[in-house]
Amino acid sequence: MFSKPQLHLASIFLKIFFRDRQSLFFSLLVPLIFTGVFLFSENEPPKIKLGLVNQSSSALAKDFVEMVNNEPLFELTIGTEDSLKIELIDGNQTAILIVPQSFDYLADVAKLRLMLDASQVRQIGAIQDALNTSLLSIEREIRNIEPMFQLSLEDVKARPQRYIDFLLPGILAYMLMNLCIAGSGFNIVEYRRRGILKRLFVTPIQPKDFIISIVLARMLIVLIQISVILALAINLLNIQVMGGLPSLYGMVILGTFIFLCIGFFLGSLAKTQESIRPIVALVTFPQLILSGIFFPITSLPTIIQPIANTLPLSVLASGLRDIANDGISLFTINGTLIGVLLWIFISFLLATQFFKWKKVAS
Amino acid sequence: MIKATDLLKKYPDPSNLGCMFNAVDGINLNISEGIIFGLLGPNGAGKTTTLEMLEGLNDIDHGEVIIDQMNIKDHPYEIKKIIGVQLQSNEYFDRLNLKELITLFGSLYSKTIDAELLLAKVKLDDKANALPDDLSGGQKQRFSIACALVNNPKVLFLDEPTTGLDPQAKRNLWDLVIDLNNEGMTIVITTHNMEEAQYLCQEIAIMDKGKIIAQDSPENLISKFANKLTTSSDSGTLEDVFLNLTGYELRD
């Protein structure tokens, strides 16, 4: 299937990679840090830091403060309005709740004031909701009323989906993109600048031999790196790959091919080592934002969504997510798979059409 | 062995934007088997471009190259199998030692070779496990030639192999070239070192501004063109020939 020169060249690329201690170290460090971050932040949602000013001396206010203090959602600091305001401005408090003097059973409606720093609080709505819910349950308890309704959340997919379950396939896709583009694009420019490509093409090997050997070597490296992350994620973060590992690896291999080809294409566009960086950034950075890695594409403005959905990283991320989260097999024909196949075709065309074989030297 | 007819290569003119100039301008070469052939000329004369067209590294805009009865346009990969090329730049993959690099180049010709034997041939057997960056200038050039020998080529192209070497390293390399020639290898060498050309070559072509302005054996060139002596020698040298033919103005 592969010729001897192709296999030998691929083994050389592997050898070069594994002898580069520094890149080896960092390529293993990144997944470790990534897993570590989620391992330690998985426990419970962070408490909302709430400052409380009690201006009332009523028994009700005393009870109320006691109950707010017992509410697990809040980390409560009791103090004066002035001192808490300073803390709020410094960002040490998320909000300040002020219990007014008139807060008593006798008053009609006890008005509570909530002070927020709008520039620091991005989820005002969420905090307000949380406060309202807490206040309501506190009120019920004080008035001794049983709640009339209870809302229980049920996922239609009938399994617990955490943020990490959504995030991991996206992160895998993003890492894959970076590893591949660095592995082909950056290398090509460097090999060309140093005359190494020219030296290679003095011998009877053909361009396709060179491409195949780099793809083989990089594929193996990427699979090892992805395996490290997956092993950690499955064992430490209890990630489940519903569609099975073979399908997931299949999708990883297809993605590797797409991004290696895009890397070859960018490497032929860039004439110098300096210009490859901005060119690569231009391609990868918008995809990081638009491809639904950290939040679903549906949360983007409607106009952008169709474009975002067609980006290669989006296609790959949703392909991996289909397999990992929704238990779809690699061979299930859906929009994502068609997108992946289209990108394989486009990227291969770009790589082969733009690679200037004769101009192997700068 | 090598026959080039009416070779032409156009490049964009750096001093005249939008225009092209002929870097190689209708060159004819006929290099017989088993000789050391020298391509001489000032900087920018088109020596390397000519060499690259002969080696199949550069597109030929017009004309044709026949090596060992094969046209390079029709059989580029067949020709690459029977030639060895030493380039001016000597960079290799990082973190591979000489032995591994030789083995790699051998494998690109689908050949398994005894790397240590080949390194011994260029007197680098004690450096088999060293990296190319750790070699001296002369050692680097010898290694570069060793890489060009992995396929036991019929024709060896050397592009300014002794530039920047000290006299000992230069002599050492000349001996290697002569040894290879004695084994029957045809060698094409570019240089602007006249002493080198006179010492090594049986036939010389002098190039200037993309054209060949003289082609003969060193002795005949000297008797024909060294009428105006620039050096202290009585009979004239190849340097006299070179300066008389290409003029005295600076070529940078």
Side-chain angles (χ1 to χ4, degrees):
Chain A
M1 191 164 141
F2 298 111
S3 71
K4 193 187 157 207
Q6 288 168 357
L7 291 175
H8 193 100
L9 203 51
S11 77
I12 289 291
F13 290 131
L14 282 177
K15 212 180 255 182
I16 294 169
F17 178 81
F18 284 112
R19 282 183 189 174
D20 186 350
R21 297 272 158 78
Q22 204 180 10
S23 78
L24 202 61
F25 174 73
F26 282 104
S27 65
L28 291 175
L29 191 66
V30 170
L32 282 174
I33 290 176
F34 169 79
T35 324
V37 164
F38 278 94
L39 199 59
F40 292 113
S41 64
E42 253 312 80
N43 302 329
E44 47 187 69
K47 292 185 170 184
I48 297 175
K49 285 185 178 172
L50 188 68
L52 194 139
V53 183
N54 188 4
Q55 294 169 341
S56 168
S57 52
S58 66
L60 175 66
K62 201 174 158 236
D63 285 349
F64 175 71
V65 172
E66 179 78 3
M67 282 180 178
V68 173
N69 201 10
N70 290 337
E71 174 64 45
L73 200 62
F74 301 126
E75 188 185 321
L76 201 68
T77 318
I78 298 171
T80 63
E81 189 173 340
D82 291 337
S83 69
L84 286 173
K85 243 185 191 172
I86 294 168
E87 284 194 41
L88 178 66
I89 289 163
D90 288 348
N92 294 329
Q93 298 292 344
T94 313
I96 307 175
L97 191 65
I98 296 168
V99 183
Q101 215 173 352
S102 58
F103 192 80
D104 206 341
Y105 287 116
L106 303 171
D108 291 342
V109 178
K111 269 191 183 164
L112 291 161
R113 272 198 299 144
L114 183 66
M115 289 171 70
L116 297 155
D117 179 358
S119 69
Q120 285 186 22
V121 181
R122 294 181 58 223
Q123 294 100 357
I124 296 175
I127 288 179
Q128 242 174 323
D129 285 350
L131 265 177
N132 271 335
T133 323
S134 301
L135 288 172
L136 201 67
S137 64
I138 288 167
E139 186 189 331
R140 281 187 191 131
E141 233 174 284
I142 291 174
R143 294 194 175 182
N144 251 325
I145 310 172
E146 284 297 312
M148 282 177 71
F149 306 104
Q150 202 169 19
L151 189 67
S152 108
L153 288 177
E154 235 173 68
D155 189 348
V156 282
K157 284 164 184 166
R159 83 202 128 67
Q161 163 120 40
R162 301 160 299 166
Y163 181 51
I164 178 75
D165 294 308
F166 170 83
L167 190 61
L168 188 88
I171 293 281
L172 279 183
Y174 179 67
M175 284 192 58
L176 207 124
M177 173 175 78
N178 282 334
L179 290 170
C180 291
I181 291 183
S184 56
F186 284 76
N187 278 354
I188 288 280
V189 176
E190 172 75 355
Y191 290 161
R192 184 170 53 217
R193 185 184 65 78
R194 293 171 57 192
I196 295 175
L197 275 191
K198 193 175 180 178
R199 185 66 192 82
L200 283 182
F201 287 107
V202 161
T203 73
I205 70 153
Q206 299 188 17
K208 71 168 179 6
D209 301 323
F210 179 74
I211 295 251
I212 287 172
S213 55
I214 281 206
V215 169
L216 276 179
R218 274 289 144 181
M219 197 90 88
L220 203 68
I221 292 167
V222 169
L223 286 180
I224 292 171
Q225 286 165 323
I226 296 291
S227 300
V228 172
I229 299 187
L230 271 179
L232 290 173
I234 290 171
N235 290 310
L236 299 177
L237 300 177
N238 296 318
I239 295 283
Q240 283 178 1
V241 181
M242 313 298 285
L245 282 175
S247 279
L248 192 78
Y249 273 95
M251 188 56 87
V252 165
I253 287 172
L254 296 181
T256 309
F257 186 82
I258 292 177
F259 286 113
L260 280 173
C261 284
I262 291 179
F264 279 121
F265 166 60
L266 299 180
S268 0
L269 285 188
K271 292 200 170 66
T272 62
Q273 197 73 1
E274 283 73 35
S275 64
I276 181 85
R277 282 169 211 286
I279 290 177
V280 165
L282 193 71
V283 172
T284 54
F285 191 68
Q287 296 204 72
L288 174 63
I289 311 258
L290 295 175
S291 294
I293 301 302
F294 296 106
F295 43 83
I297 291 180
T298 42
S299 64
L300 289 172
T302 341
I303 303 175
I304 304 177
Q305 285 188 24
I307 303 167
N309 273 318
T310 50
L311 294 171
L313 187 60
S314 315
V315 171
L316 179 64
S318 82
L320 290 173
R321 221 167 263 146
D322 283 354
I323 292 168
N325 297 350
D326 300 339
I328 284 172
S329 134
L330 176 65
F331 302 106
T332 310
I333 304 218
N334 57 9
T336 309
L337 185 71
I338 291 169
V340 168
L341 295 177
L342 268 177
W343 270 111
I344 287 179
F345 178 71
I346 295 170
S347 60
F348 184 69
L349 215 63
L350 286 174
T352 46
Q353 291 304 304
F354 281 83
F355 207 108
K356 295 179 185 70
W357 297 108
K358 284 287 174 183
K359 289 183 182 154
V360 286
S362 51
Chain B
M1 189 70 187
I2 303 175
K3 194 167 156 50
T5 323
D6 211 12
L7 275 190
L8 193 82
K9 182 74 198 174
K10 287 186 179 127
Y11 278 137
D13 193 340
S15 58
N16 197 352
L17 280 176
C19 293
M20 306 291 275
F21 80 107
N22 293 344
V24 175
D25 193 1
I27 275 185
N28 292 296
L29 286 172
N30 202 341
I31 301 171
S32 341
E33 193 171 346
I35 68 162
I36 304 182
F37 184 90
L39 204 53
L40 270 64
N43 290 330
K47 304 185 295 288
T48 300
T49 310
T50 305
L51 217 56
E52 284 182 351
M53 284 194 283
L54 298 182
E55 295 158 355
L57 282 178
N58 217 327
D59 281 328
I60 298 169
D61 289 345
H62 183 261
E64 65 170 14
V65 172
I66 310 280
I67 297 180
D68 203 23
Q69 280 109 46
M70 288 180 287
N71 191 320
I72 199 148
K73 262 189 185 147
D74 306 329
H75 307 280
Y77 295 106
E78 292 304 307
I79 287 187
K80 281 177 180 178
K81 281 180 195 164
I82 59 154
I83 63 172
V85 176
Q86 180 251 359
L87 299 169
Q88 265 184 43
S89 74
N90 280 323
E91 293 236 36
Y92 305 94
F93 292 118
D94 295 323
R95 298 181 187 85
L96 295 180
N97 63 36
L98 303 196
K99 207 170 140 184
E100 289 167 327
L101 283 166
I102 292 280
T103 313
L104 165 67
F105 282 116
S107 81
L108 299 181
Y109 293 89
S110 302
K111 281 190 174 175
T112 313
I113 43 166
D114 188 339
E116 279 175 36
L117 200 71
L118 188 57
L119 285 171
K121 194 168 181 174
V122 297
K123 300 201 186 96
L124 283 174
D125 36 341
D126 55 333
K127 296 277 180 190
N129 295 317
L131 300 176
D133 280 349
D134 302 332
L135 300 179
S136 71
Q139 289 170 333
K140 263 187 192 156
Q141 290 295 14
R142 294 210 302 277
F143 176 62
S144 175
I145 291 179
C147 292
L149 294 175
V150 290
N151 56 331
N152 196 18
K154 289 184 179 174
V155 185
L156 180 64
F157 292 95
L158 304 174
D159 199 0
E160 301 188 5
T162 56
T163 302
L165 298 190
D166 64 34
Q168 285 86 357
K170 197 154 67 183
R171 295 269 159 189
N172 192 300
L173 200 108
W174 290 352
D175 291 342
L176 175 63
V177 171
I178 287 173
D179 283 347
L180 291 171
N181 182 240
N182 287 340
E183 290 171 21
M185 209 174 278
T186 308
I187 294 170
V188 181
I189 182 169
T190 71
T191 180
H192 35 217
N193 181 333
M194 297 306 129
E195 192 195 357
E196 178 166 292
Q198 201 160 357
Y199 185 85
L200 289 176
C201 302
Q202 282 114 49
E203 204 178 325
I204 285 169
I206 297 180
M207 271 188 88
D208 196 18
K209 293 170 187 157
K211 289 185 192 305
I212 290 180
I213 50 176
Q215 183 173 350
D216 213 328
S217 68
E219 298 75 28
N220 288 347
L221 284 172
I222 289 168
S223 67
K224 263 194 255 175
F225 297 106
N227 41 10
K228 220 165 81 188
L229 299 185
T230 54
T231 51
S232 52
S233 138
D234 308 331
S235 55
T237 65
L238 207 52
E239 186 146 339
D240 300 320
V241 176
F242 188 79
L243 288 170
N244 286 338
L245 284 171
T246 60
Y248 288 84
E249 87 257 32
L250 205 56
R251 308 289 183 87
D252 280 332

